[in-house]
Amino acid sequence: MKRLITLVAAALCCIACAQKQQQDLPESAFVRVDGQYLIEPSGDTLFIKGTNLGNWLNPEGYMFGFQKTNSAGMINQMFCELVGPDFTAEFWKLFKDNYVTEKDIEFIASTGANTIRVPFHYKLFTDEDYMGLTAGQDGFKRLDDVIGWCRKHGLYVILDMHDAPGGQTGDNIDDSYGYPWLLESEASQQLFCDIWKRIAEYYKNEPVVIAYDLINEPIAPYFDNVDELNAKLEPLHKRVIAAIREVDPNHIIMLGAPQWNSNFEPFTDWTYDDKLMYSCHRYGGDACVEAIGNFIAFRDKTNLPMYMGEIGHNTDEWQEAFCRAMEQSNIGYTFWPYKKINNSCFNGITPPENWDKVIEFSEAPRSTYFEIRDARPDQEMARKAMLDFIEACRFENCTPQEGYIRSLRLK
């Protein structure tokens, strides 16, 4: 009887501990907005400095050395034509397992960075065909891994839906069909809200996550009805934020502007949530404060934080000058990307032997089955090149770009 009482007491204790762990954390446990500043739970001001884990959970052609084959869907199709769907599925698993590991996160932390932005594809949270899986997608596992590593090594995380249902941009970067259907499709918008609500409920008690970056670079400037599309963005923001707030009252919501996160004029209301901040992007141009005057003006008008979510692909000298300009302007930044083929990143991947043959196939005409057969190189050679790429992308086989990292003024 005494042993039974002890076991019951232990069980009740476990239940109480589990219930305690499930209690929501207080607002003070999270990074918060205070006017134009971000404040850490310690009370210190947070100035974001870091990088983007681009290509890992949303493959993009140029980071493999591809040009014409430039979206996740196109890359997957090309690999299937090259080596078959089964080997392609195995490649993607190995890719996700090796492209970003704890060693990469530890290295990023060692540079002085304090934040990592993690771009991801919405399909990682559905049963759609994506990166080798058609069911049991592993989005939460992959995010859990990187968040856990960041917690261990003292980094914050921004979750960025880089590819939204239906497509929010209308170009290769959203892996869509050439138009921002999200802005016009009720079904896509509902799925968009549902996925963000699931993510928010899952991570509502995770203070390592700074913010949810809702939509990357919505509405490219190519379309005749761009003004009409722009007008639909803010109502969509309000809709998805309302869904998130049903389960998560504490995390910051990050809003990117249309036309490559550069045009903030369509935004007219920033009072409907008390934890908003904005994200701008910029590649090239002058490396001075005046060059980002429109971003500063919008930041000052709203009195909310502004953050440069993507910047890069320039000379070390330009990058250092632009980082100084962003420091002077109180605009934190994460450079794009962390890792890719060759340079202009934190860690460069050296292309393996015969990778040029894979690139040649990716660039060849493949609009008919005859063209696919005519362009396909030896499959055994191609498979070996793909496995060699996996080895080449592992942290220990990459080449840190020391000048690039120094230019970001992380320390």
Side-chain angles (χ1 to χ4, degrees):
M1 176 62 74
K2 185 176 180 181
R3 182 172 181 273
L4 177 61
I5 292 172
T6 301
L7 290 172
V8 171
L12 291 173
C13 181
C14 290
I15 292 171
C17 290
Q19 288 175 340
K20 185 176 181 181
Q21 289 173 355
Q22 291 171 3
Q23 291 177 355
D24 290 345
L25 293 178
E27 183 178 6
S28 59
F30 299 86
V31 174
R32 60 183 173 86
V33 170
D34 184 6
Q36 300 178 12
Y37 297 90
L38 296 175
I39 307 299
E40 297 184 80
S42 65
D44 295 334
T45 299
L46 172 64
F47 185 83
I48 293 173
K49 291 185 178 183
T51 187
N52 287 265
L53 300 184
N55 205 42
W56 179 40
L57 301 178
N58 65 316
E60 195 168 343
Y62 81 96
M63 289 193 262
F64 290 94
F66 310 147
Q67 297 300 319
K68 186 167 67 175
T69 303
N70 56 6
S71 71
M74 288 181 176
I75 296 168
N76 184 73
Q77 178 72 22
M78 182 271 291
F79 281 156
C80 288
E81 293 167 353
L82 178 65
V83 294
D86 295 336
F87 188 87
T88 296
E90 180 62 21
F91 170 84
W92 286 130
K93 180 183 183 304
L94 292 170
F95 179 83
K96 286 185 285 185
D97 287 346
N98 289 279
Y99 199 81
V100 173
T101 67
E102 184 178 349
K103 290 181 181 179
D104 292 283
I105 303 306
E106 183 178 15
F107 171 72
I108 292 169
S110 75
T111 68
N114 59 30
T115 303
I116 292 174
R117 180 171 177 253
V118 184
F120 64 88
H121 201 301
Y122 85 92
K123 290 182 180 179
L124 286 163
F125 300 92
T126 70
D127 285 334
E128 297 180 60
D129 184 2
Y130 186 64
M131 293 189 81
L133 296 173
T134 54
Q137 285 287 356
D138 56 356
F140 282 120
K141 178 202 179 309
R142 300 298 174 177
L143 294 185
D144 281 350
D145 284 347
V146 74
I147 289 170
W149 298 330
C150 286
R151 184 187 306 111
K152 179 177 178 180
H153 296 287
L155 293 166
Y156 285 113
V157 173
I158 293 168
L159 299 181
D160 156 45
M161 188 179 286
H162 218 75
D163 313 77
Q168 78 279 5
T169 305
D171 209 332
N172 68 295
I173 60 171
D174 68 357
D175 192 31
S176 70
Y177 299 97
Y179 186 82
W181 300 106
L182 173 66
L183 279 300
E184 296 187 351
S185 167
E186 168 60 27
S188 291
Q189 290 184 19
Q190 187 59 55
L191 181 58
F192 176 63
C193 292
D194 290 346
I195 293 172
W196 265 123
K197 184 176 180 179
R198 284 177 57 209
I199 292 171
E201 185 166 24
Y202 189 88
Y203 290 116
K204 65 181 180 180
N205 286 320
E206 182 48 79
V208 169
V209 175
I210 296 177
Y212 305 135
D213 191 349
L214 295 184
I215 327 178
N216 177 71
E217 296 188 350
I219 314 167
Y222 312 134
F223 308 104
D224 293 337
N225 61 337
V226 68
D227 291 337
E228 177 185 340
L229 292 169
N230 285 350
K232 296 179 179 181
L233 185 57
E234 194 165 72
L236 180 58
H237 284 164
K238 293 181 178 180
R239 177 177 174 179
V240 68
I241 290 172
I244 289 172
R245 291 305 183 217
E246 290 179 13
V247 296
D248 183 349
N250 291 321
H251 277 104
I252 295 169
I253 306 294
M254 189 176 292
L255 305 177
Q259 288 78 69
W260 317 126
N261 275 38
S262 69
N263 177 17
F264 288 88
E265 291 184 5
F267 295 157
T268 61
D269 183 8
W270 38 87
T271 62
Y272 55 90
D273 191 90
D274 64 353
K275 297 178 180 66
L276 297 181
M277 66 180 292
Y278 288 89
S279 171
C280 54
H281 292 179
R282 187 166 181 269
Y283 290 91
D286 294 332
C288 59
V289 172
E290 291 75 18
I292 53 175
N294 59 321
F295 302 151
I296 296 170
F298 184 80
R299 189 270 314 278
D300 292 346
K301 180 170 69 172
T302 62
N303 195 36
L304 292 171
M306 179 67 73
Y307 147 75
M308 187 73 70
E310 291 182 25
I311 192 72
H313 296 319
N314 217 304
T315 65
D316 294 347
E317 293 75 17
W318 184 95
Q319 292 183 164
E320 182 169 9
F322 196 67
C323 286
R324 290 181 185 276
M326 288 187 285
E327 289 170 356
Q328 294 169 19
S329 307
N330 185 32
I331 295 179
Y333 49 87
T334 49
F335 270 67
W336 183 277
Y338 164 62
K339 180 186 289 187
K340 69 178 185 67
I341 284 278
N342 295 323
N343 53 20
S344 191
C345 57
F346 275 61
N347 244 341
I349 301 170
T350 300
E353 183 181 13
N354 291 321
W355 192 249
D356 59 321
K357 302 296 192 301
V358 177
I359 293 175
E360 286 176 11
F361 183 73
S362 76
E363 301 301 310
R366 291 178 288 106
S367 60
T368 68
Y369 286 105
F370 171 80
E371 290 179 334
I372 293 170
R373 292 191 298 270
D374 189 56
R376 183 187 293 122
D378 178 75
Q379 292 185 43
E380 184 176 351
M381 177 272 294
R383 290 190 179 102
K384 184 177 186 306
M386 291 173 68
L387 292 176
D388 288 346
F389 181 90
I390 297 298
E391 283 300 309
C393 79
R394 291 171 58 85
F395 171 77
E396 52 266 36
N397 297 322
C398 290
T399 304
Q401 307 295 302
E402 295 180 0
Y404 174 99
I405 293 170
R406 283 195 302 269
S407 76
L408 308 190
R409 297 176 55 82
L410 300 172
K411 292 183 177 181

